[in-house]
Amino acid sequence: MASEEKKGGLLETVKTIVYALLIAGVFRTFLFQPFWIPSGSMKDTLLIGDFLFVNKMAYGYSYASCPSVIVPRFGIDIDAHDICGWADGDNTRLFGSEPKRGDVVVFRHPTTGRDFIKRLIGLPGDRIQMRNGILYINDQAVEVQPDGTFEEIAAPQGPQRLRPRCANGPVGEGGICIKDKLIETLPNGVSHSILNIGTQGSDNTGVFTVPEGNFFFMGDNRDNSSDSRVSSMTGGVGFVPYENLVGRADRVMFSSAGRSMLFFWTWRGDRFFKKIQ
């Protein structure tokens, strides 16, 4: 009798684990995906160490809605294509809705399949260009207003120990790293912060005409962002197909200034449940 009870208890434990995994899988596939900000390309809207949930219901579902599980340390590399590749190739979405200019979006990189997060700047048919650091949409310069400076400590940040680039560089270890901060207002009235470090090649580009069914993305930290200004085949992002969108980022849940989100003593007290502008 005791053996049967032990066997029955083990079976119930296994069932509980299986059900929990199924519920977690459904939650991550159809509702919200956790996302940890690994780089500074979206400063100061998003900081290295911000933790957020991506709203997958915002744009409907495609192959990109399936989760990827990538843990290089243990040799785990399960991409969304491995699970839902059968749904790829038609650039459509189930229950799809169009993203809006100015949305902060997580998407699959068109070449590598890795998750990226950027701001949606160009819609299908738009002409996008940078001239002297100013964004032009359909030949019209967007409104830009100075908004002081963004300051941070010149020190390694996050798990990758990335050092910030500074407009007042070179800055020694522990010094104050400064970037110019501006408020950019897009044609639909969405205003958001952007940062400027200095003059560089990406401040002047040719005209990008966004193809049908694709979108153009840029980072808010304009001089430190690999985005649609460079082809996905040469280290950038290029145009992003509609089906590659994962979801919209609406709010930071919490933020860690340390090497791990588990280091609770490094959590930033001013970023709990912070709305993403």
Side-chain angles (χ1 to χ4, degrees):
M1 182 70 71
S3 176
E4 290 182 2
E5 289 180 356
K6 186 175 181 181
K7 198 176 293 184
L10 179 61
L11 181 61
E12 286 303 314
T13 300
V14 171
K15 283 183 178 179
T16 299
I17 293 173
V18 170
Y19 290 152
L21 290 174
L22 287 173
I23 291 171
V26 169
F27 181 87
R28 190 162 189 247
T29 300
F30 296 106
L31 301 177
F32 299 95
Q33 174 178 316
F35 193 85
W36 176 263
I37 302 300
S39 73
S41 68
M42 281 294 291
K43 291 178 182 177
D44 65 332
T45 303
L46 296 171
L47 304 181
I48 294 176
D50 281 353
F51 180 83
L52 49 90
F53 283 103
V54 179
N55 181 0
K56 289 191 169 186
M57 297 175 286
Y59 310 131
Y61 306 97
S62 71
Y63 88 92
S65 302
C66 282
S68 294
V69 183
I70 302 170
V71 189
R73 181 181 299 180
F74 299 104
I76 299 174
D77 190 352
I78 303 173
D79 186 71
H81 271 109
D82 299 327
I83 304 171
C84 295
W86 55 270
D88 187 15
D90 59 1
N91 204 24
T92 60
R93 307 182 71 87
L94 184 64
F95 308 122
S97 59
E98 295 293 324
K100 296 180 175 60
R101 196 192 309 275
D103 285 357
V104 175
V105 180
V106 171
F107 56 87
R108 306 279 187 204
H109 189 283
T111 302
T112 68
R114 296 298 190 255
D115 287 344
F116 272 51
I117 185 166
K118 306 287 181 187
R119 190 175 298 275
L120 197 163
I121 297 296
L123 303 174
D126 281 345
R127 296 183 306 282
I128 308 296
Q129 186 178 25
M130 293 292 293
R131 303 182 197 169
N132 299 317
I134 300 296
L135 172 64
Y136 281 72
I137 300 178
N138 296 324
D139 306 316
Q140 296 295 316
V142 302
E143 180 185 342
V144 176
Q145 295 291 335
D147 190 39
T149 59
F150 171 74
E151 299 183 2
E152 57 187 337
I153 302 297
Q157 300 176 356
Q160 301 178 39
R161 312 310 289 157
L162 300 175
R163 296 187 63 85
R165 292 178 58 207
C166 314
N168 61 326
V171 177
E173 186 77 13
I176 301 298
C177 178
I178 298 174
K179 299 177 181 65
D180 294 326
K181 183 179 176 183
L182 308 102
I183 299 298
E184 180 178 82
T185 301
L186 300 175
N188 60 344
V190 173
S191 294
H192 60 98
S193 173
I194 60 172
L195 301 182
N196 179 58
I197 299 171
T199 302
Q200 59 184 49
S202 58
D203 289 335
N204 290 280
T205 70
V207 177
F208 302 93
T209 300
V210 185
E212 188 65 31
N214 286 261
F215 299 92
F216 191 97
F217 289 92
M218 295 177 67
D220 290 348
N221 191 1
R222 290 287 163 81
D223 293 337
N224 196 46
S225 175
S226 175
D227 51 39
S228 292
R229 288 173 287 181
V230 177
S231 166
S232 63
M233 303 302 293
T234 55
V237 169
F239 301 122
V240 178
Y242 182 40
E243 65 184 357
N244 281 39
L245 307 188
V246 175
R248 186 181 65 223
D250 294 324
R251 194 174 295 274
V252 174
M253 303 308 292
F254 68 91
S255 181
S256 171
R259 298 187 65 170
S260 169
M261 66 178 179
L262 300 178
F263 296 172
F264 62 87
W265 58 90
T266 67
W267 289 3
R268 300 176 175 108
D270 62 340
R271 296 189 70 79
F272 285 102
F273 309 112
K274 182 177 178 65
K275 183 176 175 58
I276 297 172
Q277 301 287 346

